[in-house]
Amino acid sequence: MTGPARLPAPVLAFAAIVSVQLGAAIAKTRFDEVGSVGAATLRLVIGAVVLALVVRPRVRHWTRAQWLGAVGLGLALGGMNVFIYLAFASIPIGVAVTIEFLGPLTLSLVHTRRWRDVLWAALALAGVVLLGVGPSAVTEVGGVAAAVAAAACWAGYIVMNRHVGSIIPGVDGLAVSMVVAMLVSLPFGLGSAVAGVTRDPSLLVVFGAVAVLSSVLPYALEMLALRRMPTRVFGVLQSLGPAVAALAGLLVLREALSFVELLALACVTAASVGVTVYSSRRKSA
C-alpha cells in the first residue's frame, strides 16, 4: 500500500472529520451570497467535476448491482449535504453536527454485539438529549429538523459507502456517486448558486477549496477507512465530528456554544474515544 492507504483506518477517519468540518465553516461564511442550499450545490458540482476528471471512472462493464450501489450512495450523499447546510443556516455548526450524529449513533446501536458498546452509545445519546434542551435547539426548530434529516442520510451514507467500497474497486464508485449527489442538489440550489457566482466569480475559487475539503478528500479517506474497520466502530468514531465542528465554528465563525451544548459535545466525544480505545484493545488481545 502507498500513500494514505498505509495509515491506520482511525487516522484516515479523523482526517476526514477535520477536513469536512473546516470546509463547512468556510462555506458558511458565504451563505449570504449564495444561500445555504446554493453553497451545498456549488460544493457538490465542483467536487463532482473534479473527482470525475481525476478518477475517470470505468463504468462500461459495471453490473446492475454496482450501478444501484453507486446511485444509492449518491442519493444519501446529496440528501446529507443539502439538509446539513440548511441546518447550518439557522443553528451553530457544532450543534447541527451533534444532532446529525443521531444517524451513525443509531447505526452503532443496530450493529452492536457487546454491552460495553451499548454503554458508549448511551453516553453519546445523553449528549444528544442534553443538546435538545440547549438554546439553539429550542429556538430554531427548522434547523433542528434539517439536522435530523441529515442524520438519516448520514446513516444511509455510511452503509452505502461501505457497500460500494466492497463491490467497486478504487474510488470509481465514489466519483459516480458524487455526480448523482450533484444532480440531487441542482433543482434546489442552482438558481441561488448561479446568481451568487454571477455577482462574484471569485466564489468559484472559494467553493473549489470547500469542495476539496468537504467532499473530495474526506469521502475518499472515509471509503479507504471503511474498508478496514467495522461500520459500528466507524459510526461511533464519527462522534468526534461535533467537537471538531464546534472548534471550526468558533475559530472561523466566532460561534460560541453554551455550557449545556459544550457538555453535550463532551459526552459524544468521550463515547467516541471509549469505543475506539476498547476496540483497539480487543483486536490486540
Side-chain angles (χ1 to χ4, degrees), residues 21-206:
Q21 301 308 338
L22 179 59
I26 294 172
K28 186 170 179 176
T29 65
R30 299 306 183 101
F31 277 12
D32 289 341
E33 296 163 89
V34 296
S36 58
V37 182
T41 300
L42 279 172
R43 163 186 162 180
L44 288 171
V45 168
I46 296 173
V49 171
V50 169
L51 199 57
L53 291 175
V54 171
V55 175
R56 295 183 181 181
R58 301 180 182 90
V59 301
R60 182 177 299 179
H61 301 294
W62 274 16
T63 65
R64 182 173 180 270
Q66 289 173 316
W67 275 110
L68 288 175
V71 170
L73 176 59
L75 292 175
L77 190 55
M80 182 173 69
N81 277 273
V82 170
F83 283 124
I84 197 60
Y85 270 51
L86 280 172
F88 289 162
S90 57
I91 60 179
I93 286 180
V95 173
V97 174
T98 303
I99 296 172
E100 189 188 24
F101 176 67
L102 281 169
L105 172 62
T106 301
L107 196 61
S108 70
L109 282 172
V110 169
H111 286 85
T112 190
R113 295 293 183 272
R114 298 172 176 84
W115 65 268
R116 289 184 180 86
D117 295 323
V118 174
L119 293 179
W120 293 124
L123 180 59
L125 180 60
V128 174
V129 171
L130 280 173
L131 197 60
V133 298
S136 298
V138 171
T139 59
E140 298 291 348
V141 177
V144 171
V148 171
C153 293
W154 192 4
Y157 163 76
I158 293 173
V159 173
M160 293 307 302
N161 198 349
R162 186 174 180 85
H163 174 64
V164 169
S166 68
I167 64 174
I168 302 176
V171 292
D172 287 15
L174 176 62
V176 173
S177 297
M178 282 289 291
V179 174
V180 175
M182 174 193 74
L183 295 175
V184 169
S185 70
L186 285 179
F188 309 101
L190 181 61
S192 58
V194 170
V197 170
T198 301
R199 290 190 299 268
D200 183 4
S202 68
L203 288 172
L204 288 175
V205 177
V206 174

